């Protein structure tokens, strides 16, 4: 059973930084990907960034150059380093894991493809 637990959210002023963490267990499938999604108030969940088992990454255009996804296999932790945060980055951030079904870019565009989700961590930028 896959378990995902996010942490690291908080409130920050525009231009600031946060690092989100997602501790995971049960991710044992041979070809897998993990990602970060967010849901802003009144909006649908959208993909932020994803990484596959080979380390290939994909980013939403809105965060490219500001956010960095990484993973530590030894500690079973997925990270999202967020720099130059803007008010439009405000939202609930979710960690997700799934079998690698298609390209990272497509996986990122389609939250419905992901079966395993964490409970989320709130990020507020003012």
């Amino acid at each position: 059973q896959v378990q995902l637990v996010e942490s690291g959210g908080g409130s920050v002023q525009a231009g600031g930084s946060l690092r989100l963490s997602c501790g995971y267990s049960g991710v044992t499938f041979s070809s897998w990907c993990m990602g970060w999604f967010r849901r802003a108030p009144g909006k649908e969940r959208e993909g932020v960034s994803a990484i596959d088992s080979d380390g290939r990454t994909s980013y939403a255009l809105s965060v490219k150059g500001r956010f960095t996804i990484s993973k530590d296999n030894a500690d079973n932790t997925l990270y999202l380093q967020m720099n130059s945060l803007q008010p439009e980055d405000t939202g609930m951030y979710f960690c997700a894991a799934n079998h690698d079904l298609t390209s990272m870019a497509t996986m990122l565009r389609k939250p419905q493809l992901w079966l395993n989700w964490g409970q989320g961590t709130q990020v507020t930028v003012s």
Side-chain angles (χ1 to χ4, degrees):
Q1 182 178 356
V2 176
Q3 291 188 322
L4 307 168
V5 180
E6 303 96 332
S7 61
S11 296
V12 64
Q13 291 188 335
S17 298
L18 283 173
R19 189 176 79 158
L20 305 183
S21 300
C22 174
Y24 59 87
S25 62
V27 179
T28 58
F29 25 86
S30 59
S31 180
W32 58 269
C33 54
M34 297 193 71
W36 289 98
F37 292 78
R38 66 187 180 191
R39 185 174 61 229
K43 295 187 176 181
E44 293 188 355
R45 193 174 299 193
E46 65 172 356
V48 175
S49 183
I51 186 169
D52 69 11
S53 54
D54 293 325
R56 289 172 294 200
T57 60
S58 182
Y59 294 92
L61 288 177
S62 59
V63 306
K64 206 166 188 177
R66 300 188 297 124
F67 291 11
T68 302
I69 191 171
S70 63
K71 59 185 173 70
D72 185 332
N73 291 330
D75 288 340
N76 284 0
T77 305
L78 178 74
Y79 298 101
L80 185 68
Q81 178 67 44
M82 305 186 295
N83 298 328
S84 302
L85 283 161
Q86 300 301 316
E88 52 266 35
D89 294 316
T90 292
M92 185 70 77
Y93 282 70
F94 299 89
C95 173
N98 204 77
H99 287 279
D100 191 358
L101 300 175
T102 181
S103 70
M104 283 292 94
T106 301
M107 292 294 291
L108 201 58
R109 287 197 304 269
K110 297 186 176 184
Q112 65 269 29
L113 294 179
W114 299 71
L115 297 180
N116 306 287
W117 294 87
Q119 82 289 348
T121 186
Q122 178 68 36
V123 172
T124 303
V125 185
S126 59

